[in-house]
């Protein structure tokens, strides 16, 4: 599994290079059917990742945000598959604030068992193998682990605030609040820089799988509002609301 994780990381690096090649130029933006933006960088990264994964593991199917989505009649038979968001945080990419990521996760029996989150503009990557997690920078690779705090830091979405989150924050007592884009929110919890990430608005499977793997590998728990683990063997591509937290 360690070798496979390194292979995924290499693919994420290549996808990040393709994204950054377009980051400082004239970005081509179109609207998808749900009115969300997609750029030429999303599509270039997607083509690269899908091609590389097909070469690496030709036996495994791939579900990616920017590819045609296989229907549930077929997906329900997938025991193991790749779940990909080639450019998570497209709005952050367009705003050029650096808070966007490449997300690649391996799903087995509904659970993310390998995950890479790579932030090319920040030159950082977070890796998880289901048991351990690491932060990769120019200085090298170091293990990361969740950390408790007397006054917890809550991390929320920069682009998707919600009244439900405001209500949630009113209930939890003293805390610090920080906002960041894309799957970086999972990574802040994994690093111990935040203690909780409540997501009380819509996300899709590909938005969360890699970040969930990193966070869980670092000791966090990811549960829906009924206390069930966030699972990826289901018909709905839309996630339920969930909370990432550290164990009491």
């Amino acid at each position: 599994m360690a070798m496979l994780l390194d292979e995924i990381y290499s693919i994420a690096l290549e996808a990040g290079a393709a994204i950054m090649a377009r980051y400082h130029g004239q970005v081509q933006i179109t609207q998808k059917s749900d009115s969300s933006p997609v750029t030429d960088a999303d599509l270039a990264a997607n083509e690269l990742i899908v091609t590389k994964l097909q070469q690496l593991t030709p036996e495994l199917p791939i579900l990616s945000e920017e590819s045609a989505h296989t229907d549930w009649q077929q997906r329900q038979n997938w025991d193991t598959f790749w779940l990909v968001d080639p450019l998570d945080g497209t709005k952050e990419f367009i705003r050029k604030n650096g808070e966007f990521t490449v997300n690649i996760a391996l799903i087995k029996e509904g659970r993310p068992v390998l995950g890479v989150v790579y932030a090319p503009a920040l030159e950082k990557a977070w890796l998880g193998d289901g048991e351990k997690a690491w932060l990769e920078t120019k200085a090298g690779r170091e293990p990361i682990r969740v950390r408790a705090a007397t006054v917890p830091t809550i991390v929320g979405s920069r682009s998707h605030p919600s009244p439900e989150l405001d209500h949630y924050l009113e209930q939890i007592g003293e805390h610090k609040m920080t906002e960041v884009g894309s799957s970086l929110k999972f990574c802040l919890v994994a690093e111990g820089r935040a203690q909780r990430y409540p997501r009380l608005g819509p996300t899709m499977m590909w938005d969360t799988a890699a970040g969930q793997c990193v966070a869980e590998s670092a000791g966090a728990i990811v549960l829906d509002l009924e206390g069930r683990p966030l699972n990826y063997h289901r018909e709905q591509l839309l996630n339920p609301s969930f909370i990432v937290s550290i164990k009491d």
Side-chain angles (χ1 to χ4, degrees), residues 30-43:
T30 56
Q31 298 291 319
K32 294 195 283 191
S33 59
D34 63 359
S35 298
S36 63
V38 62
T39 72
D40 54 337
D42 293 78
L43 301 179

Side-chain angles (χ1 to χ4, degrees), residues 4-214:
L4 186 57
L5 185 62
D6 283 334
E7 294 275 11
I8 306 168
Y9 175 49
S10 295
I11 294 171
L13 288 177
E14 290 188 58
I19 290 168
M20 293 307 294
R22 293 157 174 82
Y23 185 51
H24 298 293
Q26 186 68 37
V27 178
Q28 298 177 25
I29 306 170
T30 56
Q31 298 291 319
K32 294 195 283 191
S33 59
D34 63 359
S35 298
S36 63
V38 62
T39 72
D40 54 337
D42 293 78
L43 301 179
N46 185 65
E47 182 176 1
L48 187 150
I49 293 169
V50 169
T51 299
K52 294 287 185 177
L53 289 178
Q54 287 173 336
Q55 293 170 350
L56 179 65
T57 54
E59 73 282 6
L60 295 183
I62 302 167
L63 179 62
S64 172
E65 177 178 13
E66 305 304 344
S67 296
H69 300 152
T70 305
D71 63 33
W72 176 240
Q73 188 172 2
Q74 291 178 267
R75 285 193 293 111
Q76 65 181 333
N77 299 314
W78 291 2
D79 174 75
T80 307
F81 67 97
W82 295 106
L83 188 49
V84 175
D85 191 340
L87 202 173
D88 183 31
T90 299
K91 292 179 179 178
E92 317 305 334
F93 174 82
I94 293 169
R95 292 170 183 155
K96 299 187 185 300
N97 67 14
E99 295 177 354
F100 52 88
T101 57
V102 177
N103 296 344
I104 305 175
L106 182 66
I107 308 298
K108 186 173 179 61
E109 297 178 350
R111 304 288 297 165
V113 295
L114 289 178
V116 171
V117 175
Y118 175 47
L122 306 179
E123 298 184 310
K124 290 183 176 181
W126 297 261
L127 298 81
D129 68 358
E131 297 181 356
K132 297 179 181 178
W134 299 268
L135 169 65
E136 180 99 20
T137 64
K138 285 184 174 180
R141 184 176 297 184
E142 61 178 286
I144 54 175
R145 195 76 184 165
V146 298
R147 286 198 297 268
T150 304
V151 178
T153 295
I154 312 299
V155 62
S157 173
R158 187 179 296 285
S159 296
H160 303 279
S162 69
E164 291 83 3
L165 177 59
D166 293 338
H167 178 72
Y168 175 85
L169 294 175
E170 291 172 0
Q171 311 301 312
I172 63 172
E174 186 181 4
H175 65 276
K176 300 174 184 177
M177 184 70 194
T178 187
E179 295 179 344
V180 69
S182 71
S183 55
L184 292 170
K185 295 179 280 293
F186 287 96
C187 301
L188 290 182
V189 176
E191 277 190 67
R193 294 165 59 193
Q195 283 67 49
R196 201 175 301 176
Y197 163 36
R199 186 54 185 248
L200 307 179
T203 58
M204 306 298 287
M205 280 188 182
W206 43 75
D207 294 321
T208 58
Q212 178 179 346
C213 186
V214 170

Side-chain angles (χ1 to χ4, degrees), residues 81 83 105-113 183 186 197-213 215-216 220-234 236-245:
F81 67 97
L83 188 49
L106 182 66
I107 308 298
K108 186 173 179 61
E109 297 178 350
R111 304 288 297 165
V113 295
S183 55
F186 287 96
Y197 163 36
R199 186 54 185 248
L200 307 179
T203 58
M204 306 298 287
M205 280 188 182
W206 43 75
D207 294 321
T208 58
Q212 178 179 346
C213 186
E216 290 180 338
I221 53 177
V222 183
L223 303 174
D224 68 19
L225 300 188
E226 297 183 11
R228 298 171 302 196
L230 196 57
N231 187 282
Y232 296 90
H233 183 72
R234 63 175 197 267
Q236 291 294 323
L237 298 175
L238 183 70
N239 286 325
S241 295
F242 61 87
I243 297 174
V244 183
S245 62

